[in-house]
Amino acid sequence: MTIITPSTQTMDGQALSDLEGRMSFMGLTEADCGSIRSIKTVIDQELSHALDKFYNKVRQTPEVRGFFSSEAHIDHAKQAQQKHWENISSASFGTDYAQNVGRIGSIHARIGLEPRWYIGGYAVVMDHLIHAIVDQALPKGGLFDKKSMIAKKLGDQISSLCKAVLFEMDLTISVYLAEAEKARAKSRDEAIEKEQVFVAQSFGSVIQD
């Protein structure tokens, strides 16, 4: 996923160049976009089921359930995610996509949704989509059909690897944010201390005068 900072509300030339640079570094080429579009049908068909699994997780997890005021709120969020995924399944990673990601990031920052829950949600959704894509590529022929067993095993392997990568991203980003907050707190403390010293020295000079 391309990450756009929460403050990015419009895409100027520099931001667009940054977006293209990120895609280039990841090796997300036009050929890759074509591969994504080739499985658009199955993604669009299965996404609702994948999101149902995700929101079942949300309902069972108090730390994130509290972000939703009602079932109607959850349904609204699900519809918004489905619409956003239309850009992903179409491999439309242009300015509209980037601006939407920027809005999502801004909302998450405003409500205090930690990246761990966002990344974890993608793990749940990707698990379902990967199995569906592999299953379509290797159609089932029966309960004990060899292709069915191969599809299940291949889906498990790919999904497990994706989960492991997302898990490490979660941990690394969490450490990065924690360290960044420590640095900000230290900087604030040092600034306050300098201000206090300055005030004390200034006050002492006034008394002496």
Side-chain angles (χ1 to χ4, degrees):
M1 288 289 292
T2 302
I3 304 298
I4 307 298
T5 58
S7 61
T8 303
Q9 298 299 325
T10 60
M11 289 292 290
D12 56 20
Q14 183 177 355
L16 183 58
S17 175
D18 181 58
L19 178 65
E20 294 171 345
R22 290 169 185 246
M23 293 174 66
S24 176
F25 182 80
M26 291 183 181
L28 185 57
T29 65
E30 183 54 40
D32 294 313
C33 291
S35 294
I36 294 171
R37 295 183 192 107
S38 71
I39 53 174
K40 174 177 170 56
T41 299
V42 65
I43 292 175
D44 292 346
Q45 287 176 345
E46 295 294 329
L47 182 61
S48 180
H49 302 298
L51 291 175
D52 283 341
K53 289 183 178 180
F54 166 65
Y55 282 108
N56 282 337
K57 285 272 190 180
V58 167
R59 293 182 183 96
Q60 298 166 16
T61 309
E63 293 92 336
V64 283
R65 180 63 181 87
F67 288 106
F68 298 93
S69 58
S70 64
E71 284 296 317
H73 192 184
I74 288 178
D75 186 60
H76 177 75
K78 178 183 174 182
Q79 291 179 27
Q81 282 177 286
Q82 286 180 303
K83 185 171 182 59
H84 178 63
W85 266 86
E86 290 177 5
N87 285 325
I88 298 175
S89 65
S90 300
S92 300
F93 303 125
T95 55
D96 289 343
Y97 164 79
Q99 289 172 2
N100 194 38
V101 172
R103 285 190 290 270
I104 293 170
S106 181
I107 292 170
H108 288 179
R110 190 165 60 250
I111 67 176
L113 181 68
E114 297 178 45
R116 61 179 289 194
W117 304 117
Y118 187 69
I119 294 172
Y122 267 84
V124 175
V125 171
M126 290 302 298
D127 177 68
H128 181 89
L129 293 180
I130 287 169
H131 280 89
I133 292 166
V134 172
D135 192 55
Q136 185 189 64
L138 298 172
K140 294 179 180 179
L143 183 60
F144 300 105
D145 181 72
K146 185 175 180 180
K147 285 187 178 180
S148 177
M149 291 186 288
I150 292 174
K152 174 66 168 59
K153 182 177 181 180
L154 184 58
D156 288 344
Q157 291 170 334
I158 298 172
S159 178
S160 297
L161 177 59
C162 287
K163 288 178 184 177
V165 172
L166 290 170
F167 179 61
E168 180 165 332
M169 287 175 58
D170 171 19
L171 295 178
T172 304
I173 291 172
S174 296
V175 171
Y176 172 85
L177 293 176
E179 291 299 318
E181 180 55 34
K182 286 181 184 178
R184 284 193 293 268
K186 182 179 179 181
S187 179
R188 286 195 300 267
D189 291 342
E190 290 175 349
I192 292 172
E193 184 179 356
K194 288 180 180 179
E195 185 68 20
Q196 290 173 337
V197 170
F198 173 76
V199 171
Q201 291 175 340
S202 299
F203 183 71
S205 298
V206 172
I207 294 297
Q208 291 175 1
D209 291 343

